[in-house]
């Protein structure tokens, strides 16, 4: 019995694969037999059956469902299938040509699922969608030792709406959880009283990279729908509304959409507060003292900070008790080639969690040729003054000139691969000095230690937890990787003098 040429057929007939695959994509045999369409109701499973008739076309069953305007996402799930069915979804028309559909799921699981949101690569649209459950094999499935000519299954369509889950009161914080089953998306609302000139929205106490969309009338489900938006690389996101010269703030109800656009696997907690006026509330502006490290390794962890700029993230190394630190120039370089307008520093108060975004920094100097930058922590995250006499942990500089090939190295930083969420906790890797390479201004250190995006500007340390240099970049040729380190001997002399002076005070 031949329904069509399928993935199984292509595996078995390898010799004629090019001809077969061409035939599949140009022949009517690679079309689903959609037949009569049944309508799905949101949240209500529908039981159905596919007849495996011996004629042309892929055996399938097609359904329609409506995406309302207030939907952020939809999930379509197959269940209780006795054979391997695949899902194909199209907006506005039936998915007859399976190679041309908007969405598909063709896993080996019998019961497929597709989750589509307004943030998907092909964004969810309002209106009518069609979904086909398709059997793509060219043989009858076997159930309980017998060949069957019908496949029974259930299908369910669920809607994740953009309706507010809470109403905020200005000045009062609220805790929320972004959940994978809701697309890491939540909406709250707040009523801004008449006469308010400006207000601000602050997200805090979160391990995720949260973005904020705000609108009146309806909740924004994407940036395009938002009247106001804040999408920085910070977890502690802030959005200021109003206070613009010559403009009058619209008061009344605002809808605030909160979303983690990068990670979808684990739920993430957050707190949010709306404050009338422009100043950050006292609840989030207190700067705790840096903890006293128990040993040299804890000191190294505290001295390795995450650096966040308007154009990227990286790592950095504290070098003085008053907050001088070094990183790579490309970490704090703006897209236009000039320094980023805002630069923030985050500290690892726990090795189990992403660092806490506690400080702001200003650029002191940079060397574009060496890809190095020297910065100074000069304020808290929200621009508030540092407490009097505030001291930072810091690295002591090691003797990178004394390194020899084969000696061990350790690397601390915040690589993107160091976490399953949208932000990462501090990560330690190790390797050896693999060699050296002459470069303009100084010689670089080669290493086999794992270095990846986000490590830039972090710490390369020896067994005494002294700073030997900072990771700069990697070379990757045919999956053979080599890391390159800027040793402390590359640091400009005037930087070294400034660091020594700061620590001698």
């Amino acid at each position: 019995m031949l329904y069509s040429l399928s993935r199984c057929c292509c595996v078995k007939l390898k010799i004629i694969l090019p001809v077969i695959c061409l035939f599949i994509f140009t022949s009517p045999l690679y079309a689903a037999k959609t037949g009569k369409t049944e309508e799905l109701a949101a949240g209500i499973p529908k039981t159905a059956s596919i007849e495996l008739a011996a004629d042309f076309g892929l055996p399938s069953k097609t359904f329609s469902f409506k995406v309302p305007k207030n939907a952020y996402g939809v999930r379509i799930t197959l269940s209780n299938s006795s054979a391997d069915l695949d899902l194909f979804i199209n907006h506005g028309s039936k998915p007859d040509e399976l190679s041309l559909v908007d969405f598909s799921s063709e896993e080996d699981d019998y019961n497929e699922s597709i989750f589509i949101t307004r943030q998907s690569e092909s964004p969810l649209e309002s209106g009518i969608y069609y979904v086909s459950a398709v059997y793509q094999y060219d043989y009858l499935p076997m159930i309980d030792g017998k060949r069957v000519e019908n496949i029974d299954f259930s299908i369910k369509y669920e809607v994740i709406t953009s309706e507010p889950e809470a109403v905020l009161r200005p000045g009062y914080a609220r805790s929320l959880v972004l959940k994978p089953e809701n697309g890491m998306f939540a909406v709250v609302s707040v009523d801004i009283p008449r006469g308010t000139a400006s207000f601000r929205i602050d997200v805090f106490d979160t391990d995720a990279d949260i973005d904020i969309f705000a609108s009146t009338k309806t909740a924004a489900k994407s940036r395009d729908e938002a009247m106001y938006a804040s999408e920085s690389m910070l977890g502690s996101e802030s959005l200021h509304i109003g206070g613009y010269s010559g403009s009058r703030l619209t008061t009344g109800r605002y809808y605030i959409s909160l979303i983690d656009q990068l990670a979808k696997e684990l739920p993430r907690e957050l707190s949010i507060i709306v404050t009338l006026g422009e100043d950050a509330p006292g609840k989030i502006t207190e700067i705790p003292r840096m903890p006293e490290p128990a040993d040299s390794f804890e000191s190294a962890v505290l001295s390795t900070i995450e650096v966040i700029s308007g154009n990227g993230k990286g790592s950095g190394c504290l070098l003085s008790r008053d907050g001088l630190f070094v990183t790579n120039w490309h970490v704090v370089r703006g897209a236009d080639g000039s320094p980023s307008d805002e630069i923030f520093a985050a500290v690892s108060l726990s090795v189990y969690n992403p660092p806490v975004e506690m400080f702001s920094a200003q650029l002191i100097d940079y060397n574009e040729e060496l890809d190095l930058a020297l910065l100074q922590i000069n304020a808290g995250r929200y621009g508030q003054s540092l407490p009097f006499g505030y001291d930072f942990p810091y690295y002591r500089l090691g003797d990178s000139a004394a390194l020899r090939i084969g000696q061990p190295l350790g690397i601390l930083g915040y690589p993107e691969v160091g976490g399953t969420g949208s932000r990462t906790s501090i990560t330690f890797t190790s390797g050896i000095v693999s060699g050296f390479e002459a470069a303009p201004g100084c010689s670089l250190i080669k290493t086999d230690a794992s270095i990846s995006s986000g490590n830039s500007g972090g710490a390369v340390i020896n067994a005494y937890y002294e700073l030997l240099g900072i990771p700069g970049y990697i070379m990757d040729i045919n999956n053979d990787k080599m890391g390159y380190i800027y040793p402390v001997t590359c640091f400009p002399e005037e930087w070294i003098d400034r660091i020594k002076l700061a620590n001698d005070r």
Side-chain angles (χ1 to χ4, degrees):
M1 183 179 294
L2 177 65
Y3 301 122
S4 81
L5 298 172
S6 67
R7 55 188 173 197
C8 287
C9 193
C10 284
V11 170
K12 293 178 181 178
L13 304 178
K14 291 181 180 179
I15 296 175
I16 55 172
L17 179 62
V19 176
I20 289 177
C21 289
L22 177 63
F23 182 63
I24 286 174
F25 287 101
T26 58
S27 167
L29 293 180
Y30 199 64
K33 294 195 311 172
T34 53
K36 184 180 177 182
T37 300
E38 297 184 35
E39 185 175 351
L40 298 177
I44 302 175
K46 180 180 282 288
T47 301
S49 183
I50 294 176
E51 266 188 59
L52 308 180
D55 54 7
F56 292 125
L58 292 168
S60 64
K61 189 77 173 179
T62 299
F63 308 86
S64 66
F65 60 89
K66 184 176 182 179
V67 176
K69 289 183 178 180
N70 70 339
Y72 171 72
V74 296
R75 180 180 288 105
I76 300 89
T77 306
L78 288 176
S79 61
N80 303 319
S81 176
S82 53
D84 182 9
L85 298 179
D86 298 319
L87 286 176
F88 297 87
I89 298 177
N90 232 22
H91 178 249
S93 62
K94 294 182 181 181
D96 294 330
E97 295 295 332
L98 302 187
S99 60
L100 302 176
V101 297
D102 295 327
F103 306 95
S104 65
S105 178
E106 300 178 77
E107 303 294 331
D108 290 332
D109 276 353
Y110 284 9
N111 298 300
E112 307 275 352
S113 180
I114 295 180
F115 186 41
I116 312 166
T117 74
R118 305 282 182 173
Q119 303 293 328
S120 296
E121 187 174 347
S122 294
L124 181 71
E125 300 179 55
S126 303
I128 302 298
Y129 277 79
Y130 294 86
V131 53
S132 291
V134 183
Y135 183 71
Q136 295 199 73
Y137 294 91
D138 58 357
Y139 53 81
L140 293 175
M142 185 172 289
I143 301 173
D144 296 329
K146 297 180 180 179
R147 297 287 180 186
V148 297
E149 295 188 359
N150 291 278
I151 301 174
D152 298 325
F153 64 95
S154 295
I155 186 168
K156 186 168 72 170
Y157 147 65
E158 300 169 278
V159 181
I160 292 85
T161 70
S162 56
E163 296 302 313
E165 63 178 76
V167 178
L168 304 183
R169 292 174 59 194
Y172 291 84
R174 179 71 181 252
S175 296
L176 300 171
V177 179
L178 299 187
K179 302 175 182 178
E181 57 267 31
N182 292 334
M184 304 299 281
F185 174 82
V187 177
V188 294
S189 64
V190 64
D191 293 318
I192 303 300
R194 290 182 180 180
T196 301
S198 66
F199 70 97
R200 60 182 292 150
I201 304 163
D202 290 285
V203 171
F204 61 102
D205 286 348
T206 182
D207 289 341
D209 180 353
I210 307 298
D211 295 320
I212 304 173
F213 303 142
S215 292
T216 59
K217 297 184 180 178
T218 60
K221 302 174 287 297
S222 66
R223 195 187 197 291
D224 292 341
E225 296 181 5
M227 294 173 61
Y228 309 94
S230 184
E231 296 179 280
S232 76
M233 295 189 177
L234 290 164
S236 55
E237 198 74 70
S238 297
L239 178 59
H240 304 248
I241 299 176
Y244 313 115
S245 176
S247 65
R248 185 175 180 180
L249 177 71
T250 300
T251 55
R253 176 149 293 192
Y254 278 77
Y255 297 90
I256 303 168
S257 303
L258 304 165
I259 181 171
D260 184 342
Q261 300 188 67
L262 301 176
K264 308 296 181 186
E265 290 79 17
L266 298 172
R268 297 294 178 183
E269 298 178 355
L270 64 92
S271 295
I272 181 173
I273 187 169
V274 174
T275 310
L276 304 183
E278 296 183 5
D279 295 333
K283 184 176 183 65
I284 63 175
T285 55
E286 182 180 352
I287 302 175
R289 292 284 177 180
M290 296 288 280
E292 191 68 31
D295 53 36
S296 297
F297 183 75
E298 281 194 13
S299 179
V301 168
L302 289 169
S303 301
T304 308
I305 58 176
E306 185 179 43
V307 182
I308 306 104
S309 72
N311 199 43
K313 281 184 179 183
S315 306
C317 301
L318 287 164
L319 297 178
S320 71
R321 61 169 53 92
D322 66 351
L324 284 170
F325 68 91
V326 67
T327 186
N328 286 118
W329 161 241
H330 72 258
V331 173
V332 295
R333 176 186 180 275
D336 61 355
S338 61
S340 290
D341 292 333
E342 292 185 311
I343 301 170
F344 302 96
V347 180
S348 281
L349 302 182
S350 166
V351 295
Y352 297 99
N353 302 110
V356 181
E357 296 154 347
M358 295 171 58
F359 306 107
S360 301
Q362 65 178 0
L363 183 69
I364 301 298
D365 195 11
Y366 68 93
N367 186 310
E368 190 167 2
E369 184 179 19
L370 293 175
D371 192 26
L372 296 173
L374 181 69
L375 298 97
Q376 173 80 58
I377 291 176
N378 64 336
R381 152 71 181 89
Y382 300 97
Q384 69 274 38
S385 298
L386 297 176
F388 179 76
Y390 198 91
D391 284 340
F392 294 89
Y394 62 94
Y395 278 108
R396 298 190 183 278
L397 300 181
D399 186 3
S400 59
L403 286 173
R404 298 292 180 265
I405 291 177
Q407 287 185 323
L409 296 173
I411 294 179
L412 278 167
Y414 300 89
E416 291 180 4
V417 296
T420 57
S422 52
R423 299 185 63 225
T424 178
S425 55
I426 195 164
T427 302
F428 177 82
T429 59
S430 62
I432 63 168
V433 176
S434 300
F436 304 93
E437 181 167 310
C442 66
S443 293
L444 304 182
I445 302 168
K446 294 188 287 187
T447 183
D448 64 346
S450 177
I451 299 173
S452 59
S453 179
N455 271 125
S456 294
V460 179
I461 57 178
N462 59 19
Y464 304 102
Y465 303 102
E466 296 172 326
L467 187 71
L468 298 175
I470 64 173
Y473 59 93
I474 59 172
M475 290 290 291
D476 186 351
I477 301 175
N478 297 327
N479 291 323
D480 290 328
K481 297 181 181 181
M482 182 65 65
Y484 287 81
I485 297 163
Y486 293 95
V488 295
T489 52
C490 287
F491 296 179
E493 288 186 17
E494 56 269 28
W495 295 11
I496 300 295
D497 292 340
R498 182 166 184 153
I499 292 164
K500 288 179 179 178
L501 181 62
N503 291 326
D504 288 341
R505 291 173 183 168

